[in-house]
Amino acid sequence: MSNPCESHGIKHLSASSLNLFKNSPARWVLSYLFRIKDGPSPAMLRGKSAESAIEWALQNDITATDEVAEYAAQDFESHRPSRRSMDEALEAKYEAERAICQKCAVSGYEFIQGQDFGPLISSQDKLDFRIDGIDVPIIGYTDFTFENGITVDLKCVGKAQSRPKMDHAVQIAGYGIASNYQQALLYAYPRTKLNTDDFSARLFKISADTVEQQLGFAAHTAHAIRNVLALSLIHISEPTRQAEMSY
């Protein structure tokens, strides 16, 4: 059988594509087969801009947190859609997410500054790994890798987390296979009056057992995607052959 992924123009998979298929196969089909993709949501911009602000602050040894917040806001504004294209409710959502983005950027940066991670040595490193029986690689990009041997993936959320979310754990499990660094999830969230003396962030280091477990989930989803693609080739090719024979 030909490579089902490449037959559909899919040259690689990613943790986000695996999670999308697991959570909504119909949306996955629209996005990856029909190329109908959603634009950047307010929540997506929140995470990307907070990450950009923290990266900038780490690279430039910024000490003033108000500068981190301002950088996050400017980055958010530079990527948001034009206000002319949205109604009042959506604009209000973007405004709220920008404020959360600034707070998460500050929370995450303060937390990292208080840890013994060492200097930032790289960011957005491309990693890839293979799953047995899957014809294309699984790729991903790390957030922050530090000198003392830890890679941190930032997640900006609205409230404190008691445990890593499964989708997030699946995302960095592959990084643990492709890299020798300790993998960790850092959840940053807005500071509240109840925890003003504490970091509004929590770090979860991912163990080898968790990596193996999450890779099992990733492999199951990847094979489900391959099966759907292979089945679609069977159903598409037969009418095509019949049409060709009619000419």
Side-chain angles (χ1 to χ4, degrees):
M1 179 183 294
S2 62
N3 182 334
C5 291
E6 291 191 351
S7 295
H8 285 281
I10 297 173
K11 297 181 179 180
H12 65 264
L13 295 173
S14 64
S16 60
S17 67
L18 296 179
N19 285 328
L20 179 60
F21 185 89
K22 177 174 66 71
N23 296 324
S24 178
R27 285 186 60 198
W28 188 93
V29 168
L30 287 174
S31 181
Y32 288 91
L33 298 188
F34 290 93
R35 306 295 190 264
I36 301 174
K37 295 181 179 291
D38 296 330
S41 69
M44 289 173 59
L45 286 184
R46 174 219 303 168
K48 289 183 179 296
S49 295
E51 179 186 326
S52 294
I54 292 174
E55 180 181 354
W56 168 78
L58 289 170
Q59 291 174 340
N60 293 278
D61 295 323
I62 302 301
T63 57
T65 56
D66 59 336
E67 292 184 38
V68 180
E70 180 61 24
Y71 189 99
Q74 291 179 0
D75 189 87
F76 188 97
E77 286 297 317
S78 70
H79 292 94
R80 68 181 287 175
S82 169
R83 287 176 170 82
R84 296 178 181 178
S85 64
M86 62 182 72
D87 58 27
E88 290 185 4
L90 184 57
E91 182 173 353
K93 180 65 174 175
Y94 273 99
E95 292 297 321
E97 290 291 357
R98 183 183 63 181
I100 295 174
C101 168
Q102 291 180 277
K103 293 175 182 178
C104 287
V106 170
S107 297
Y109 184 60
E110 287 182 333
F111 182 89
I112 291 173
Q113 290 292 89
Q115 307 304 304
D116 186 25
F117 293 160
L120 177 71
I121 59 174
S122 64
S123 59
Q124 292 301 305
D125 291 331
K126 181 181 178 180
L127 299 178
D128 64 80
F129 64 98
R130 292 276 181 169
I131 292 176
D132 289 343
I134 302 302
D135 308 297
V136 295
I138 316 297
I139 71 167
Y141 294 86
T142 61
D143 285 349
F144 311 116
T145 300
F146 296 93
E147 187 176 74
N148 289 352
I150 186 170
T151 294
V152 175
D153 199 81
L154 177 72
K155 300 299 178 187
C156 296
V157 292
K159 60 182 180 180
Q161 301 293 307
S162 60
R163 63 178 64 88
K165 294 184 178 181
M166 180 176 289
D167 285 1
H168 299 159
V170 168
Q171 178 181 348
I172 68 168
Y175 302 168
I177 297 298
S179 167
N180 293 324
Y181 285 88
Q182 166 71 61
Q183 303 298 314
L185 282 165
L186 175 61
Y187 287 96
Y189 47 91
R191 179 168 290 170
T192 67
K193 293 181 180 179
L194 297 178
N195 62 0
T196 51
D197 295 328
D198 300 321
F199 291 120
S200 297
R202 185 170 181 182
L203 187 78
F204 296 92
K205 293 183 178 180
I206 307 302
S207 68
D209 288 343
T210 300
V211 167
E212 183 176 355
Q213 180 187 46
Q214 297 303 325
L215 281 178
F217 293 133
H220 178 80
T221 304
H223 281 281
I225 290 174
R226 189 185 190 281
N227 291 340
V228 167
L229 296 177
L231 185 62
S232 70
L233 288 178
I234 295 173
H235 285 285
I236 291 172
S237 60
E238 183 59 32
T240 300
R241 285 196 296 269
Q242 293 177 0
E244 290 174 347
M245 293 174 61
S246 66
Y247 284 99

